[in-house]
Amino acid sequence: MIHIVTAANADRYSAELLQAFELRHRVFVDEKGWAALRRPDGRETDQFDDEHAVHMLYIEAGAVLGYQRLLPTTRPYLLTEVYPQLCDGRAPAGRDIWEWTRYCVEAGRRERGRVLSPVAHALLTGIVEWGLCGAVSAIVIEMNPLWLLRLVQLHFKVTPLGLPLPIEGEDTVAVIARFDRRTLDRLTLMRPAVLVQGERAA
Amino acid sequence: MSRTLLDRTLEFVKLVDAAQSPSEVASIVLKCAAPHGFEQVFAGTMPGARERAAKQRAHVILDHWPQSWLSRYFSRGYLVVDPTIKRVRAGAPAFYWRDLIETRDDPVAQRVMDEATDFGLRQGLTVSLLTLDGHAAGLSLAGGRIEHHPRLKGMMTLVASYALGQCFGLDKAARAAPVDLTNREIDVLRWLAEGKSDRDISQILSISEHTVDKYLRSAFAKLGVANRASAVAKAIRARVIV
């Protein structure tokens, strides 16, 4: 299930957070080859892993299998500091807008070309549920444009902030994706199919 | 240039969001792409490798493409040798046809591209997409003389995503009858419509309550509803149960 870790409860999740940083290192450095993020201790962290970050961990039997991070846009964030070239115009900022970063899922638990994997589904649903509970209505995403159609199909109202550009060898587009109750309903509908899929695989 | 392209993309997003049919989507796409020399658009999901020609055509979503070329294309089975299709299946980023290096040592692939030229599809651009249920989809734009610019590829990637997203939404709204409910799912819905509880249904059908719940959930997904009342209503409307 999804665990939300913030400055308020980080002391109770110190082991899991370390696992999450190791997962990030495996995915972003070892797998995707983002060499600038490489750390000798095999734990990927950056300047945004501070007291303002909201970490979402998918934990199963003590193992962190999925991760994503949300950053407030009322302060400097990845798009404004690291990828300003992706944003043509003023970067979104507001208490109801957060930036979705470092989404990653353990290699063996990703979708195999079919529907969203249960871990991916839980992470995505986690953002929307968390958002709807906390008066957050939009997320800023820097992503491969291949994801755009899926977000549109999930009833996110997506607006591009710039045209796609290659980042670390991968086409990347910055968007702002608004969501509401309909998005959650759509995600909920997706769920049974995912479960049936998982059962069939097992 | 990029700011203009982005503004035009945003304008496109607004227009396509109000489109009521795939043909309307196609003309909005073409209106947006015309300043860059594009005259034709074609899009669809990828059929399975062994589907027959008639079934292949069922995967077409946007069709503003020379019809004589399409007849030839499907009847000759070009789908399996078309190099653009191979790239779409592989999820490659958007590409211009002139950058297709696959045709260099594949005369059959080269012939498909050459023949397309004879039908007015001289230069083109193809975008690969991935649908929510994991199917590859592709959108191609072509014309006699198109503009080649890297930012244009990015713009058309966005345009293609919104265009197909809108078409899938229309398709879903238009589809009145649900798809292939199993006999067991129909049994459960029928007893649910009679006002039986999960426990009642599990006893009637001699299955566990957990299994009843499982059938219900998968029936909900197929019917596109979120709760029991809507499931019964929709099943009756679609004459799945009477």
Side-chain angles (χ1 to χ4, degrees), chain A residues 139-201:
Chain A
I139 44 177
V140 171
I141 319 169
E142 296 96 54
M143 61 179 191
N144 188 315
L146 208 52
W147 271 91
L148 181 54
L149 175 58
R150 293 178 156 207
L151 288 176
V152 171
Q153 287 185 279
L154 282 169
H155 292 327
F156 281 90
K157 196 161 172 43
V158 191
T159 309
L161 299 170
L163 295 175
L165 280 176
I167 302 267
E168 305 268 359
E170 191 178 350
D171 272 357
T172 310
V173 65
V175 301
I176 179 164
R178 303 202 166 271
F179 55 87
D180 55 24
R181 189 73 218 176
R182 273 181 0 124
T183 319
L184 187 59
D185 289 345
R186 187 84 182 92
L187 277 164
T188 311
L189 279 180
M190 288 293 297
R191 193 157 169 249
V194 170
L195 288 178
V196 170
Q197 179 95 3
E199 283 169 10
R200 204 178 293 149

Side-chain angles (χ1 to χ4, degrees), chain B residues 142-220:
Chain B
R145 189 186 168 82
I146 64 166
E147 204 178 301
H148 290 85
H149 194 284
R151 301 312 299 268
L152 203 51
K153 279 198 290 191
M155 172 183 176
M156 291 310 160
T157 303
L158 303 182
V159 164
S161 305
Y162 287 103
L164 289 201
Q166 182 68 9
C167 289
F168 289 139
L170 290 170
D171 184 43
K172 210 160 161 280
R175 215 185 303 134
V179 284
D180 62 359
L181 287 173
T182 66
N183 289 337
R184 270 318 207 193
E185 288 161 358
I186 294 172
D187 285 343
V188 171
L189 283 174
R190 194 174 283 144
W191 288 115
L192 187 67
E194 294 289 333
K196 302 290 184 197
S197 69
D198 283 17
R199 170 171 294 207
D200 295 336
I201 299 174
S202 79
Q203 284 166 0
I204 294 166
L205 299 177
S206 308
I207 53 179
S208 73
E209 275 184 64
H210 172 78
T211 309
V212 170
D213 187 58
K214 200 177 87 176
Y215 287 141
L216 273 179
R217 277 161 171 272
S218 65
F220 286 8

Side-chain angles (χ1 to χ4, degrees), chain B:
Chain B
M1 172 180 191
S2 67
R3 183 68 224 183
T4 324
L5 292 185
L6 179 63
D7 285 340
R8 297 239 323 279
T9 308
L10 294 173
E11 179 63 26
F12 168 82
V13 171
K14 226 181 282 170
L15 287 173
V16 85
D17 193 47
Q20 296 298 317
S21 67
S23 64
E24 200 181 329
V25 171
S27 53
I28 296 169
V29 170
L30 283 176
K31 202 172 148 229
C32 167
H36 308 285
F38 297 104
E39 296 154 340
Q40 316 272 0
V41 63
F42 190 71
T45 52
M46 295 298 116
R50 282 182 215 137
E51 283 185 40
R52 285 193 305 274
K55 284 197 95 180
Q56 289 175 0
R57 293 199 112 169
H59 290 264
V60 175
I61 299 169
L62 293 182
D63 181 7
H64 194 284
W65 215 236
Q67 294 303 304
S68 48
W69 168 241
L70 279 181
S71 306
R72 183 178 178 86
Y73 185 94
F74 283 115
S75 64
R76 298 203 162 205
Y78 283 171
L79 196 82
V80 288
V81 290
D82 183 342
T84 67
I85 294 292
K86 286 184 183 163
R87 282 211 187 182
V88 167
R89 286 192 194 278
F95 57 92
Y96 283 114
W97 294 354
R98 69 171 186 190
D99 298 329
L100 279 167
I101 46 170
E102 296 88 329
T103 52
R104 282 183 200 156
D105 42 32
D106 184 348
V108 184
Q110 184 63 55
R111 203 181 74 217
V112 173
M113 299 311 288
D114 288 345
E115 284 188 18
T117 301
D118 298 337
F119 290 81
L121 307 171
R122 210 164 77 82
Q123 299 182 324
L125 165 83
T126 297
V127 178
S128 319
L129 301 158
L130 200 56
T131 69
L132 195 51
D133 47 14
H135 294 295
L139 181 145
S140 287
L141 284 155
R145 189 186 168 82
I146 64 166
E147 204 178 301
H148 290 85
H149 194 284
R151 301 312 299 268
L152 203 51
K153 279 198 290 191
M155 172 183 176
M156 291 310 160
T157 303
L158 303 182
V159 164
S161 305
Y162 287 103
L164 289 201
Q166 182 68 9
C167 289
F168 289 139
L170 290 170
D171 184 43
K172 210 160 161 280
R175 215 185 303 134
V179 284
D180 62 359
L181 287 173
T182 66
N183 289 337
R184 270 318 207 193
E185 288 161 358
I186 294 172
D187 285 343
V188 171
L189 283 174
R190 194 174 283 144
W191 288 115
L192 187 67
E194 294 289 333
K196 302 290 184 197
S197 69
D198 283 17
R199 170 171 294 207
D200 295 336
I201 299 174
S202 79
Q203 284 166 0
I204 294 166
L205 299 177
S206 308
I207 53 179
S208 73
E209 275 184 64
H210 172 78
T211 309
V212 170
D213 187 58
K214 200 177 87 176
Y215 287 141
L216 273 179
R217 277 161 171 272
S218 65
F220 286 8
K222 290 178 182 177
L223 290 164
V225 298
N227 60 51
R228 285 151 201 264
S230 320
V232 169
K234 190 139 187 199
I236 290 172
R237 248 194 340 264
R239 295 168 200 268
V240 172
I241 56 176
V242 284

Side-chain angles (χ1 to χ4, degrees), chain A residues 109-149:
Chain A
R109 302 298 296 266
R110 297 176 198 157
E111 41 269 309
R112 288 176 210 122
R114 301 272 321 151
V115 286
L116 286 176
S117 76
V119 180
H121 180 272
L123 285 167
L124 206 49
T125 308
I127 299 182
V128 176
E129 282 183 346
W130 168 84
L132 292 179
C133 291
V136 171
S137 58
I139 44 177
V140 171
I141 319 169
E142 296 96 54
M143 61 179 191
N144 188 315
L146 208 52
W147 271 91
L148 181 54
L149 175 58

Side-chain angles (χ1 to χ4, degrees), chain A residues 18 21-23 25-26 30 37-45:
Chain A
L18 288 181
F21 296 147
E22 285 162 8
L23 173 64
H25 201 277
R26 280 199 299 281
D30 301 339
L37 300 181
R38 185 174 292 283
R39 295 287 177 279
D41 63 0
R43 291 170 188 150
E44 190 272 303
T45 55

